[in-house]
Amino acid sequence: MERGQTVAMTQSARARWAALSRGVVSNESFPGSDLTSVVAGAMVFEHVDLSRADLRLATMRAFFKMCSFAGANLRGANLRGATFAGCDLTGADLRDADLRDARFSYVNTGSDNGRTNLTGVRFEGADLAGASFDRVIGYVALNDEGA
């Protein structure tokens, strides 16, 4: 892809993001988009593809249901109080993210595909105070000694 195409695609993704209204956002696709510093307040995202998106420093205190954040860069993002239900966070970078009171859980689909996948997620420096992990896969909790 040429540079001009990348810039046009990024502007298009940012314009589409800016046009999202409060409420429910379903079946949108932003793979690989530059969405640094975007804001999403009290919204519900269902089946939204944010795989490989650059969401550094984003503020997203939303409810995410069956969304893909696979390979996404969420470094330094404010995700305080966000809920990830049945989401794919495989390989996502959550270093230095504010995840206080965030919930990582599952959607009861009758199979493992309804569980939030945290395989390979990077949590270094993330604030996980009050975060809960309910029936997720790929996450190994640290013991009290941090080992």
Side-chain angles (χ1 to χ4, degrees), residues 88-133:
D88 182 2
L89 283 102
T90 304
D93 187 348
L94 288 163
R95 288 178 290 172
D96 303 317
D98 184 350
L99 293 161
R100 287 177 283 175
D101 301 316
R103 279 197 65 195
F104 297 88
S105 63
Y106 70 103
V107 174
N108 190 1
T109 62
S111 65
D112 278 348
N113 68 352
R115 294 181 188 218
T116 293
N117 188 345
L118 299 174
T119 303
V121 171
R122 301 195 57 184
F123 285 114
E124 293 95 333
D127 187 342
L128 294 167
S132 66
F133 300 87

Side-chain angles (χ1 to χ4, degrees), residues 30-85:
F30 296 94
S33 295
D34 177 1
L35 296 170
T36 53
S37 302
V38 296
V39 176
M43 298 173 68
V44 175
F45 291 83
E46 296 178 342
H47 301 280
V48 174
D49 182 3
L50 292 159
S51 59
R52 301 175 325 282
D54 187 349
L55 292 155
R56 287 173 295 148
L57 304 175
T59 299
M60 299 190 305
R61 300 176 182 176
F63 183 93
F64 300 97
K65 179 179 177 185
M66 303 298 283
C67 294
S68 177
F69 291 90
N73 185 351
L74 291 150
R75 190 164 189 175
N78 181 349
L79 301 165
R80 187 175 188 171
T83 297
F84 299 90

